[in-house]
Amino acid sequence: MAVTTGCGSPPPPDELARPDTVVETSDMRTPRVVDDSGRPPVTFDPCLDLPDGVMREAGYDADHKEFSDMPMGSYTFLGCTYRKSDPIPGVRRGYSLSVLAGNVSLDEEIAKNGHVATATTVNGRTALLELDPSIKDACTYVLQSMFGVVIFSRLYNKDHAGPVPQNEWCADMEPLVRAAEPFIGS
């Protein structure tokens, strides 16, 4: 027997129902984590705002994404981790992708990682491509937003001994970042 009460939106699915999740009451979602820094609130939530279809089309398992929150007091990051299993025996097992939205500025990111960053654009949005030789097999795109930055950091999970050539670290990553960029907002 089903019982219907009141009006409004149904509660979120169990996999997204978390104690610190805020139920939407308007067109703009209240950020699930805030800090006391006076910085802008992080209004893009990678686990909730990146459409599962976009991630699936890029080969990532959107059904098993993992939330991660990093309130640091002076800044905040909301994160989501995705896995892509596309093994090629002797070459790779797949990829791990971490998408972080934070209220730090692009200038702060440049001050921190400018020595490994190259200025670029993604769909006209100011961005950085970071390749740090000390972090093997990783490719990072940092996109500017109105609240700070969104970081797409992918780790190439190799299936062999020895290094992965640096020109393979970012293989096929730019199309994913271009597909995800419109969902970040301004």
Side-chain angles (χ1 to χ4, degrees), residues 57-170:
E57 190 170 314
Y60 289 87
D61 183 358
D63 294 330
H64 296 100
K65 57 190 168 190
E66 299 171 20
F67 287 83
S68 57
D69 304 331
M70 293 163 252
M72 305 293 188
S74 61
Y75 57 88
T76 293
F77 278 94
L78 301 180
C80 196
T81 302
Y82 297 88
R83 304 272 186 269
K84 180 177 184 178
S85 178
D86 63 347
I88 300 173
V91 177
R92 72 170 179 258
R93 293 175 292 155
Y95 299 101
S96 300
L97 175 71
S98 178
V99 183
L100 299 169
N103 56 0
V104 298
S105 70
L106 191 64
D107 288 340
E108 288 172 297
E109 180 65 21
I110 291 169
K112 179 181 174 191
N113 291 317
H115 64 288
V116 296
T118 303
T120 189
T121 60
V122 175
N123 298 340
R125 184 185 297 264
T126 302
L128 302 171
L129 171 60
E130 297 178 356
L131 289 171
D132 187 344
S134 68
I135 304 174
K136 301 288 185 211
D137 310 332
C139 178
T140 302
Y141 278 86
V142 181
L143 281 61
Q144 187 173 33
S145 72
M146 64 183 216
F147 57 80
V149 296
V150 177
I151 301 170
F152 294 82
S153 184
R154 187 184 75 181
L155 183 62
Y156 184 112
N157 298 315
K158 63 185 177 180
D159 190 20
H160 61 83
V164 173
Q166 190 171 6
N167 66 347
E168 290 293 316
W169 295 1
C170 291

